[in-house]
Amino acid sequence: VQFYGSQDRDAYYPKAIELMEKEIEAGEVNALAWMGKLYELSDHDPNYTKALEYYDKAAAAGHKDAKEEARRIRAMIEYDAQF
């Protein structure tokens, strides 16, 4: 989900999350990965734990890139925990 021309993408995040939740309920595997991306890339308050949760779900559901995304987020969380 991209919001072109927006000065404040976070203003649109609640709606994007709502739309992704509907897609997830409908069984859309890509929506799981996009939800992870939304939580990861929030300009205001990235939530890597939630991002990891959704990447893991997407990987378990067979999304082709989600396993690598989850690995990358895990490494970031582990690195941050050292400091």
Side-chain angles (χ1 to χ4, degrees), residues 6-76:
S6 171
Q7 295 298 318
D8 182 12
R9 292 186 316 176
D10 281 343
Y12 296 96
Y13 273 37
K15 183 64 174 176
I17 288 172
E18 177 186 330
L19 292 171
M20 287 300 107
E21 286 174 345
K22 288 180 183 179
E23 292 296 314
I24 290 167
E25 288 174 14
E28 178 55 55
V29 174
N30 288 327
L32 289 165
W34 275 111
M35 187 72 100
K37 194 62 75 179
L38 284 170
Y39 279 111
E40 176 187 355
L41 298 179
S42 171
D43 288 340
H44 177 66
D45 187 23
N47 187 331
Y48 299 123
T49 302
K50 287 292 263 186
L52 180 58
E53 174 187 332
Y54 281 100
Y55 286 139
D56 281 341
K57 288 179 182 181
H63 188 277
K64 67 180 180 94
D65 299 322
K67 185 175 181 179
E68 178 59 26
E69 295 294 329
R71 185 207 59 76
R72 184 178 54 75
I73 294 294
R74 256 190 204 85
M76 286 174 49

